[in-house]
Amino acid sequence: MRYLEITVPRDRRRAVLAVLDDEGIEYVIADEATASTIEDAAVVRFPLPTRAVEPVLDRLADAGLDDARVVVIDAQTVVSQEFDELRDQYSRGGTRGERTSRQVLRTKADAFTPAISIYLVMLLISAVVATAGLLSDSPAVVVGSMVIAPLLGPALAASVGIVTDDAELRSRGFRYQTIGVAVVIVASIAIATLARLGGFEPSGVDIVVVAELEERVSPNVLSLAVALGAGVAGILSLTRGFSEAIVGVMIAAALIPPAAAVGITTAWGMYGAALGAFVLVVVNLLSINLAALVTLWVAGYRPQTPGPGLFEVSPTRKRTATYAVLFGLALAILTAPLVGITLLEFQTTQLTSTADEAVTEVLEDPQYDELEAESVEVVLDDEYPIRSVDRVVVTVRGLDPGPQPDLADRLYERVAAETQESVVLKLQYTVGEERGEPDEDVFFRTVRSG
């Protein structure tokens, strides 16, 4: 519920009261001396259901209320039979959803965008925590970095500014998002560089695997779900009064860890991996903005252009459609690599299953009774972000394993027959009932087929 206080010129009092009477709104009117530029003003106060704020203000604008001062206050309780009837009137068939008016929506989006100094400081702290969490392989620390990141307001301000035709809010939203991502990346590069110089990097070990960055430097299309969901949830939190804190964490989850991954991989000189993480950051930014914009449109919010009146609305949809198309096209282009990575994951899963079946079938031969399959692994190359299959590693175990006649040949021929593509197969042996170190005799075989 809302409580409105409107200051109107005396000569337009009759038109304003006619609108309120027609809507069945209880009001109080008083003549008050004000320090504003409105001479001989009257103040009208009345409660409204949340859903009624926007249409009532639009009707007042049509009545010529073009130089009024309006204050909208949250109201906890209104005890009135007339108010109950008014609330039922705007409940749309019994559904009493709390749809925030576009005037209040703009104010809330602005309120969730902090001052630039606080914004930068909190993002620096979040970047340090996220980088430390990724390098130390600590999910709890990474989650902590999301909690303190003030990204909710900037992530939604641009879309709200578009649909409410608030150029300043729109510009600030885009500007804050760009600055925020840049700050996190630069800070992460600095922290990761210090960590590398300090000897954090394990000798001969891939930092992407050690720090569990792989899903962020080589993302698939499922990564879009987080960002799209965050955009939708963010708008619902503003328009329906859901928990903004939880939604803010969700938005940060789509932006902070990938941005920190860009910094870490850049500091380690893995520029392909850094490119993959950066693509994910941009894709998530576009997804959040597109999802927020579409959700606002579906919820019934429309663009407005400044006119002579405070609430005069001109539903110019061109600007909103233009931004939606731009977001959609950019997202479609950048999603192409993610589709390729997803297809590779399907291929890898299928190849692993095929190789596993081939190994089981070949080892069923009586001459290999002393051997059993230890593992089958499909290894990808290090060409981030779009990788490819490098080799298939087959490990067999036995009490006293040694080179088996034609085993490598039979395995790669069987795998090649199933995959119909070039494969590099590596066969290695382990000794004993328990998993041991690979035998010194390791066999490599390349298949060229198809």
Side-chain angles (χ1 to χ4, degrees):
M1 293 174 290
R2 301 289 187 262
Y3 189 76
L4 278 68
E5 179 179 288
I6 303 179
T7 304
V8 298
R10 184 180 297 274
D11 59 353
R12 253 158 294 174
R13 178 191 303 186
R14 185 179 300 276
V16 171
L17 298 185
V19 171
L20 299 182
D21 290 334
D22 186 57
E23 291 285 341
I25 298 172
E26 290 184 293
Y27 58 86
V28 175
I29 186 169
D31 295 324
E32 296 186 7
T34 67
S36 69
T37 58
I38 304 177
E39 297 181 358
D40 197 18
V43 177
V44 183
R45 302 181 180 91
F46 52 91
L48 278 180
T50 303
R51 278 186 177 273
V53 173
E54 186 172 352
V56 169
L57 289 179
D58 288 344
R59 285 204 60 186
L60 291 174
D62 294 337
L65 192 62
D66 54 0
D67 53 359
R69 183 188 68 230
V70 178
V71 178
V72 181
I73 305 171
D74 285 334
Q76 297 298 320
T77 304
V78 177
V79 181
S80 169
Q81 180 178 352
E82 288 78 5
F83 182 83
D84 291 340
E85 294 174 354
L86 185 64
R87 182 172 56 186
D88 291 337
Q89 175 185 337
Y90 282 94
S91 66
R92 296 183 181 178
T95 303
R96 297 184 177 181
E98 293 293 319
R99 180 187 183 277
T100 302
S101 68
R102 62 176 178 276
Q103 293 85 1
V104 176
L105 178 65
R106 183 167 50 192
T107 302
K108 292 179 68 175
D110 182 69
F112 282 119
T113 304
I116 188 66
S117 58
I118 298 299
Y119 182 65
L120 293 177
V121 170
M122 294 301 292
L123 278 180
L124 283 173
I125 298 173
S126 178
V128 171
V129 175
T131 305
L134 289 174
L135 288 174
S136 61
D137 189 20
S138 175
V141 176
V142 176
V143 171
S145 71
M146 304 173 194
V147 173
I148 62 178
L151 293 176
L152 176 62
L156 304 178
S159 297
V160 173
I162 292 171
V163 300
T164 60
D165 203 27
D166 188 329
E168 197 280 331
L169 183 61
R170 179 179 68 245
S171 175
R172 189 193 316 162
F174 286 135
R175 184 172 64 252
Y176 268 53
Q177 291 180 70
T178 304
I179 293 174
V181 169
V183 166
V184 174
I185 291 176
V186 171
S188 297
I189 291 175
I191 299 301
T193 300
L194 291 176
R196 188 178 186 187
L197 294 176
F200 182 86
E201 178 182 15
S203 177
V205 178
D206 187 354
I207 187 63
V208 169
V209 177
V210 172
E212 291 195 356
L213 295 170
E214 195 164 5
E215 65 182 29
R216 296 181 174 95
V217 301
S218 187
N220 57 34
V221 292
L222 296 179
S223 304
L224 291 173
V226 176
L228 291 172
V232 174
I235 292 301
L236 292 178
S237 71
L238 292 183
T239 61
R240 304 292 176 172
F242 297 153
S243 174
E244 290 87 2
I246 296 176
V247 176
V249 173
M250 188 176 181
I251 291 176
L255 298 176
I256 294 297
V262 175
I264 293 172
T265 49
T266 300
W268 254 261
M270 303 177 66
Y271 301 114
L275 176 61
F278 183 73
V279 168
L280 178 60
V281 172
V282 177
V283 165
N284 285 349
L285 275 174
L286 290 171
S287 300
I288 291 172
N289 283 274
L290 179 60
L293 194 58
V294 172
T295 303
L296 284 168
W297 190 270
V298 172
Y301 294 95
R302 295 293 182 267
Q304 55 182 348
T305 56
L310 181 62
F311 302 112
E312 183 167 333
V313 177
S314 177
T316 55
R317 305 185 179 187
K318 183 177 180 180
R319 182 179 289 108
T320 301
T322 300
Y323 277 105
V325 170
L326 289 176
F327 291 155
L329 288 177
L331 188 59
I333 294 172
L334 292 176
T335 302
L338 275 62
V339 174
I341 295 171
T342 304
L343 294 176
L344 174 63
E345 292 181 354
F346 290 152
Q347 177 190 358
T348 302
T349 302
Q350 182 61 41
L351 182 56
T352 302
S353 177
T354 299
D356 188 64
E357 293 175 1
V359 171
T360 301
E361 181 179 318
V362 171
L363 292 182
E364 287 178 352
D365 192 307
Q367 65 176 313
Y368 305 124
D369 284 343
E370 296 182 357
L371 298 177
E372 64 179 16
E374 173 85 355
S375 65
V376 177
E377 180 184 7
V378 176
V379 180
L380 304 180
D381 60 27
D382 295 329
E383 298 298 324
Y384 297 97
I386 302 179
R387 308 166 72 188
S388 58
V389 176
D390 182 62
R391 63 188 181 277
V392 178
V393 179
V394 177
T395 304
V396 296
R397 181 177 60 186
L399 293 177
D400 186 20
Q404 298 295 319
D406 301 326
L407 178 56
D409 291 338
R410 294 184 62 180
L411 286 174
Y412 81 70
E413 289 174 358
R414 180 68 176 80
V415 172
E418 292 292 335
T419 60
Q420 297 298 315
E421 61 184 29
S422 298
V423 177
V424 176
L425 187 143
K426 174 182 177 181
L427 175 63
Q428 61 186 20
Y429 298 84
T430 60
V431 181
E433 292 292 334
E434 301 296 332
R435 180 175 295 185
E437 295 297 325
D439 190 270
E440 292 183 357
D441 295 322
V442 180
F443 302 89
F444 297 87
R445 186 71 180 201
T446 303
V447 177
R448 295 285 184 263
S449 64

